[in-house]
Structures are given as C-alpha cells and as structure tokens.
Amino acid sequence: MSARQGLRVVVPPLDVDVDGVTCTILEVSRHEWVDGREHYIVSVVCRYDGKRTNVFQLDVTSNDELLAKLRVEVAKLKIAGLLGYAPLVLP
C-alpha cells in the first residue's frame, strides 16, 4: 500500500478554525528529502481578536502534524496577547 493512496487534496487558500483563531492556509509546497521522504512547506496567516499575523511557514509531513503545529502557534499567539506583546498587524 503506497502512502499516496491516503492523500487528501485541498486547494488553498483555505480557512481553518483552530481553537477560536482563523488560520488561512495560503500555499502548500511539496518537497522531497534526499532519502525520498515527502514533506510540505505550508504558508499560513492567522487572524485573532481583530488582528492578523505576518505570513509564516510550517514544515509538515501530514494533515495531523499540520493541525498539531497550528495548535502550538495559536497557543503562542494567545499567550503573547495575554502578556501584552502584540507583534500583530492590523487588518
């Protein structure tokens, strides 16, 4: 059974709600390691509390890993907001 049989295709841009934060997937770029393993570079921007982040990239191998990494980024975003650190761009 090849890994491609379980591949799910999603065409960006795509809005995903992660713990109350809207994360927009702007671009997905497929890459291959030297040993043949595939990974994806995902460009994302998040909107929270009337502001948005700059575009940032996540390196992932699956949709589950993408969701886990987005949850981490959202948690960091919320903590930064609670601490008064606001490197967010206004809409």
Side-chain angles (χ1 to χ4, degrees), residues 9-72:
V9 177
V10 178
V11 179
L14 174 73
D15 286 339
V16 178
D17 183 67
V18 180
D19 299 333
V21 175
T22 302
C23 297
T24 303
I25 297 172
L26 300 172
E27 181 180 16
V28 179
S29 177
R30 181 182 151 306
H31 297 275
E32 230 177 77
W33 294 110
V34 176
D35 62 4
R37 293 179 296 149
E38 291 181 349
H39 67 111
Y40 303 87
I41 306 296
V42 182
S43 299
V44 182
V45 64
C46 294
R47 288 176 184 78
Y48 176 66
D49 199 24
K51 299 176 183 154
R52 69 173 180 86
T53 64
N54 290 324
V55 176
F56 60 94
Q57 285 74 35
L58 297 173
D59 187 358
V60 300
T61 57
S62 68
N63 287 335
D64 292 334
E65 185 179 2
L66 173 60
L67 184 57
K69 287 187 176 186
L70 281 174
R71 284 189 175 132
V72 169

Side-chain angles (χ1 to χ4, degrees), residues 48 75-87:
Y48 176 66
K76 292 192 299 187
L77 179 64
K78 289 181 175 181
I79 289 171
L82 288 173
L83 295 174
Y85 179 73

